[in-house]
Amino acid sequence: MKIEVGNTQLNVEDRGSGSVLLLIHGFPLNLEMWRPQIEDLSNHKRVIAVDLRGHGHSPPTPGSYSMDVLADDCAAVLAALRVEDPVTVCGLSMGGYVSFALFRRHPQLISALILSATRPGSDSDLAKANREKAIAETKQHGSQPVLDKMLKILLAPDTYESKPELVKNLAEIIALTSTKGILSALAGMKDRLDSTMLLGQINIPTLVIHGAQDQIITLNESESMASGVKNSRLEIIPVAGHLPNLEQPEMFNSIVSDFLASI
Ligand code: MLT
């Protein structure tokens, strides 16, 4: 379904009934990355998954997509769907950066947090320089170089060996990201705020999920993020990389279900 949000429309999937689990995808992905969660968890919850602007079937808009703009989009989606009670927000990687912005800007909307394969910190100088390089390359050659690079690091080394169908499916999912979407998301991530100080203010149940073979986020980063939040739990999924929800969907779903049942 398409939902009008400010100056654009966002593609949203809304399935199931009951209390809401809001799923926010990573870069350069879209809500299809949550297919195993939408199918399974919507049996017990209302699952709302959003294509962030410029991703999936949400058209690109001008300018950079700051994490604040993307968070406000998610808040507007909840309002448009007339969600009245606070929701559990599950953000993966860039979706985690958006979740921090959502907590900062609209804390009343959130009752619990699931942070997977993400970090609270802002980009280091090196990471900023790498974003600039990726932006320049994308301006010159289009989306393919960034998509090719991401396709090589999103999964665990073991997953590339054992799940060729998943690798193919992932290539199809990321191919939907427009060149403009890539440029704007890279610019937004490069300039995102440091949310490390926010961790101490998170006073709601929080689950951190880490893929043991993540090539982008280290275990140390997930551990220190979890230890910064008072009421948090850390779960490590073996034989999974940056997309544990796709690489080990049953384990991911069972960890999420247990967490949701506990709150
Ligand atoms: C993501 O998966 O969303 C990205 O790896 C995040 C990033 O580039 O910082």
Side-chain angles (χ1 to χ4, degrees):
M1 114 185 42
K2 287 284 193 303
I3 294 197
E4 299 281 336
V5 161
N7 56 353
T8 189
Q9 287 193 331
L10 297 181
N11 183 51
V12 172
E13 197 156 328
D14 181 7
R15 291 266 295 271
S17 60
S19 56
V20 170
L21 174 65
L22 174 70
L23 301 174
I24 311 179
H25 64 77
F27 170 86
L29 292 128
N30 56 70
L31 66 76
E32 272 314 311
M33 68 160 271
W34 297 115
R35 187 54 52 201
Q37 285 67 50
I38 295 170
E39 298 300 331
D40 181 24
L41 301 173
S42 66
N43 290 320
H44 309 285
K45 303 281 289 183
R46 180 175 176 193
V47 178
I48 298 175
V50 182
D51 275 348
L52 297 171
R53 53 176 75 205
H55 296 75
H57 296 290
S58 294
T61 54
S64 128
Y65 306 159
S66 69
M67 300 303 106
D68 288 359
V69 163
L70 300 179
D72 289 354
D73 284 349
C74 292
V77 165
L78 293 177
L81 292 174
R82 302 192 186 290
V83 173
E84 282 170 3
D85 294 328
V87 306
T88 299
V89 173
C90 174
L92 185 138
S93 202
M94 180 178 75
Y97 311 158
V98 176
S99 305
F100 286 124
L102 196 57
F103 184 83
R104 187 182 295 111
R105 295 167 75 77
H106 307 278
Q108 76 288 355
L109 297 181
I110 312 181
S111 58
L113 268 176
I114 302 173
L115 300 166
S116 185
T118 195
R119 55 167 73 90
S122 51
D123 273 5
S124 63
D125 288 346
L126 177 62
K128 282 186 204 284
N130 286 336
R131 300 263 193 225
E132 290 291 0
K133 269 192 222 150
I135 288 171
E137 196 175 28
T138 305
K139 281 185 180 157
Q140 206 181 349
H141 301 290
S143 59
Q144 211 52 51
V146 166
L147 296 183
D148 288 346
K149 180 171 163 264
M150 292 305 288
L151 188 59
K152 288 194 189 116
I153 56 171
L154 283 170
L155 302 173
D158 286 349
T159 306
Y160 289 103
E161 291 286 313
S162 60
K163 299 191 173 168
E165 276 306 310
L166 174 56
V167 181
K168 195 163 153 262
N169 182 24
L170 182 59
E172 288 165 4
I173 294 175
I174 66 176
L176 279 179
T177 316
S178 61
T179 300
K180 174 73 181 84
I182 289 176
L183 289 171
S184 302
L186 285 170
M189 287 192 287
K190 175 173 79 76
D191 293 332
R192 73 184 187 279
L193 294 178
D194 187 341
S195 297
T196 310
M197 297 307 284
L198 197 67
L199 296 179
Q201 294 166 36
I202 299 179
N203 52 358
I204 49 177
T206 299
L207 169 66
V208 175
I209 306 181
H210 179 82
Q213 296 181 28
D214 194 327
Q215 305 189 62
I216 298 172
I217 303 288
T218 64
L219 175 59
N220 193 27
E221 285 179 294
S222 289
E223 281 174 343
S224 56
M225 183 168 68
S227 67
V229 180
K230 244 179 278 138
N231 195 1
S232 77
R233 179 195 300 185
L234 169 66
E235 296 280 354
I236 299 166
I237 300 194
V239 201
H242 196 58
L243 300 177
N245 67 304
L246 274 179
E247 299 177 72
Q248 300 295 343
E250 284 166 17
M251 202 177 296
F252 188 95
N253 291 352
S254 134
I255 289 169
V256 169
S257 296
D258 286 352
F259 173 69
L260 294 174
S262 76
I263 56 181

